[in-house]
């Protein structure tokens, strides 16, 4: 009887996952989607406010201004790109925000709705405004491609039997918020690189386009990722075990460079 019950549950979860698979307009790839954009944004805004309230914002006026400037330029690029592709509605409910957090983490992330944070620890790796545009373009691309929604949906399917985020937030609000933070790598030393290989590749391509449209040379992305690789020292960086190898990533960036440069030259 127990075996039969487990089979029924497994079948039900599989059915929910099959029905919940949708094609994301921006990428054309099918994703598991148990999370509405509105629910994800609502939880992301609450989680972002919590992080900002519990963090020390940088007092470096120049660096803070640079983060906000790069963020706003990429925001404008995203809005133009989405409008040009008839996808303006994908940005409904966005409340863009860009903050620089005083922390040694080599990290940055962007949540649903455009809520973005950069840690001061990544600025020496970025080196300059263009390097920062590589970081922020890449992270914002994750949010635009709904990779956080996808990861959240996977967690809901695996741990909570396919519940929706809204249902979980109603019954276990703290758990829901923790899952949202985990979906974006918040609090992880490797948060910048916590997505899967397919998601990373998508964010690399879109990030190049966004930074190019914002007026930053996308060719600088190769140098940035070389510097990120060097953060691992003599041993291969931890993130390379689940993400594109340095060589693969650089080859992909170069493959997408002609497309990105078309936007940059404009």
């Amino acid at each position: 009887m127990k075996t039969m019950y487990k089979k029924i549950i497994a079948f039900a979860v599989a059915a929910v996952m099959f029905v919940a698979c949708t094609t994301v307009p921006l990428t054309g790839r099918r994703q598991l989607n148990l999370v509405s954009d509105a629910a994800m944004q609502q939880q992301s805004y609450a989680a972002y406010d919590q992080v900002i309230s519990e963090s020390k914002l940088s007092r470096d006026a120049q660096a803070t201004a640079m983060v906000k400037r790069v963020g706003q330029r990429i925001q404008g690029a995203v809005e133009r790109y989405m409008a040009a592709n008839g996808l303006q509605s994908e940005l409904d409910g966005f409340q863009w925000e860009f903050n620089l957090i005083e922390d040694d983490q080599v990290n940055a992330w962007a949540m649903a709705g455009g809520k973005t944070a950069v840690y001061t620890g990544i600025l020496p790796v970025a080196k300059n405004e263009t390097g920062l545009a590589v970081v922020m373009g890449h992270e914002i691309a994750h949010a635009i491609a709904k990779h956080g929604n996808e990861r959240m949906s996977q967690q809901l399917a695996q741990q909570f039997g396919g519940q929706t985020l809204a249902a979980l937030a109603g019954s276990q609000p703290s758990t829901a918020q923790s899952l949202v933070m985990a979906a974006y790598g918040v609090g992880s030393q490797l948060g910048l690189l916590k997505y899967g290989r397919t998601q990373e590749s998508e964010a690399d391509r879109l990030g190049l386009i966004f930074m190019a449209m914002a007026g930053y040379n996308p060719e600088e992305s190769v140098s940035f990722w070389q510097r990120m690789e060097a953060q691992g020292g003599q041993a291969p960086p931890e993130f390379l075990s689940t993400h594109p190898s340095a060589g693969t990533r650089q080859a992909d960036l170069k493959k997408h460079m002609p497309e990105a440069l078309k936007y940059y030259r404009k």
Side-chain angles (χ1 to χ4, degrees), residues 80-250:
R80 293 194 302 276
Y81 183 83
M82 299 299 274
N85 289 278
L87 298 172
Q88 303 97 313
S89 63
E90 296 295 311
L91 300 179
D92 287 350
F94 267 55
Q95 297 178 16
W96 296 89
E97 189 172 346
F98 312 98
N99 280 295
L100 178 62
I101 296 175
E102 187 70 42
D103 195 296
D104 290 336
Q105 291 185 49
V106 181
N107 197 5
W109 41 264
M111 289 183 168
K115 298 292 188 179
T116 307
V118 175
Y119 292 79
T120 53
I122 204 169
L123 295 182
V125 184
K127 290 185 67 174
N128 52 41
E129 187 165 328
T130 301
L132 181 60
V134 177
V135 177
M136 296 182 70
H138 178 89
E139 290 305 304
I140 289 170
H142 277 306
I144 300 301
K146 302 184 181 181
H147 292 158
N149 300 49
E150 185 176 13
R151 293 187 63 190
M152 171 65 77
S153 296
Q154 292 166 348
Q155 291 298 312
L156 290 171
Q158 293 169 5
Q159 298 180 32
F160 300 95
Q163 283 190 65
T164 64
L165 178 59
L168 182 64
S171 60
Q172 302 179 52
S174 60
T175 299
Q177 193 168 83
S178 295
L179 285 177
V180 169
M181 290 188 178
Y184 293 104
V186 179
S188 168
Q189 290 290 336
L190 291 172
L192 178 60
L193 301 157
K194 291 294 285 183
Y195 290 91
R197 294 189 181 195
T198 298
Q199 296 167 332
E200 283 294 308
S201 295
E202 289 178 348
D204 280 343
R205 174 181 170 268
L206 292 170
L208 286 179
I209 292 174
F210 295 156
M211 71 175 291
M213 290 183 70
Y216 298 104
N217 186 355
E219 292 175 306
E220 293 297 317
S221 62
V222 176
S223 297
F224 168 77
W225 288 110
Q226 288 172 340
R227 294 193 294 273
M228 279 299 298
E229 180 189 10
Q231 295 296 302
Q234 296 299 314
E238 181 181 344
F239 61 78
L240 292 184
S241 63
T242 56
H243 294 80
S245 68
T248 298
R249 168 167 257 145
Q250 291 169 31

Side-chain angles (χ1 to χ4, degrees), residues 13-24 29-35 146-158 162:
V13 171
V16 168
M17 292 177 66
F18 177 79
V19 172
C21 282
T22 59
T23 299
V24 176
R29 180 170 61 85
R30 289 184 65 79
Q31 294 174 316
L32 177 64
N33 187 5
L34 298 173
V35 185
K146 302 184 181 181
H147 292 158
N149 300 49
E150 185 176 13
R151 293 187 63 190
M152 171 65 77
S153 296
Q154 292 166 348
Q155 291 298 312
L156 290 171
Q158 293 169 5

